[in-house]
Amino acid sequence: MQTQQHRLKPVTSEEDWAAYHEMRETELFHPLGVDYLKHHPDDRNPSNHPFLILADEEVVGAVRLDHRQDLNRMITRTLAIRSRRQGQGHGSAGMILCEDFARGMGCTEMCLNAHQPALPFYLHRGYRQEEWDPEDRFGSCVQCRKILTDNPEA
Ligand SMILES: CC(C)(COP(=O)(O)OP(=O)(O)OC[C@H]1O[C@@H](n2cnc3c(N)ncnc32)[C@H](O)[C@@H]1OP(=O)(O)O)[C@@H](O)C(=O)NCCC(=O)NCCS
């Protein structure tokens, strides 16, 4: 099987923003019945990093990484993979890139609020159910955390 090249593309152009919003609204917010705000201030916070996930330059997903420099923490927000591209390893590849990005920013941990059906996906990727900020919990999501070691295979 041919290996696809994945990369995180920072959301910068109007075209990027349109793809980022469409992906999150269609694949995450809409199925949950949650209203999606295209002008949420958190998306433009300089500490937060919105990305498209590309596989061989095809947009297969979107994610936002929020940096809490004071805590050496990165928070994965609203990871979403295009429904017809789910179950093909793109989410896993995207998470590896997110963790690499976090390490590059000096973070020692990755935290997230896991949507219940996606919890097994995160547990399989080395995350543990662990409360990291009760005030940051989103609805019925489960808080998860992973310590980022220098050696990703460790
Ligand atoms: C959850 C999600 C990001 C996973 O991405 P993906 O590209 O489908 O995942 P992968 O193909 O990399 O799957 C990796 C593994 O997780 C498993 N997996 C994926 N989604 C799963 C799910 N919802 N429940 C249980 N296991 C799941 C796969 O079977 C696979 O197992 P394996 O490693 O043993 O083969 C993606 O399915 C998605 O966008 N879902 C809708 C939005 C969502 O729930 N986002 C998470 C918000 S917290």
Side-chain angles (χ1 to χ4, degrees):
M1 195 176 83
Q2 225 176 357
T3 309
Q4 291 195 297
Q5 288 293 324
H6 289 87
R7 74 180 175 102
L8 296 180
K9 180 178 196 255
V11 173
T12 51
S13 68
E14 283 311 309
E15 194 185 350
D16 292 341
W17 279 111
Y20 171 83
H21 289 313
E22 191 275 332
M23 185 70 71
R24 300 199 316 166
E25 182 169 20
T26 307
E27 308 300 347
L28 191 56
F29 285 70
H30 184 69
L32 291 174
V34 178
D35 286 340
Y36 186 78
L37 299 177
K38 284 192 175 151
H39 299 288
H40 198 292
D42 287 356
D43 279 328
R44 305 280 181 167
N45 181 327
S47 296
N48 299 343
H49 303 269
F51 289 111
L52 294 172
I53 301 171
L54 305 192
D56 288 346
E57 297 307 298
E58 172 198 349
V59 178
V60 293
V63 66
R64 199 181 78 217
L65 297 177
D66 295 1
H67 190 197
R68 286 291 310 268
Q69 197 169 2
D70 52 331
L71 299 173
N72 292 329
R73 170 184 291 169
M74 197 68 80
I75 306 170
T76 298
R77 304 268 190 207
T78 61
L79 170 67
I81 301 294
R82 176 68 75 213
S83 51
R84 66 173 179 278
R85 305 296 261 129
Q86 289 174 13
Q88 299 165 21
H90 299 300
S92 302
M95 280 311 294
I96 289 169
L97 292 171
C98 289
E99 291 164 11
D100 286 347
F101 177 81
R103 279 188 200 89
M105 298 288 280
C107 296
T108 52
E109 63 178 25
M110 181 71 91
C111 295
L112 53 87
N113 287 300
H115 174 43
Q116 296 263 4
L119 183 58
F121 166 79
Y122 292 114
L123 296 179
H124 197 201
R125 313 256 82 75
Y127 287 79
R128 289 172 182 232
Q129 288 187 48
E130 204 176 307
E131 193 168 74
W132 45 271
D133 185 352
E135 289 185 13
D136 200 310
R137 186 191 309 286
F138 182 74
S140 63
C141 285
V142 181
Q143 295 207 315
C144 293
R145 193 164 85 109
K146 180 175 178 176
I147 301 299
L148 300 175
T149 57
D150 288 340
N151 175 5
E153 303 303 320

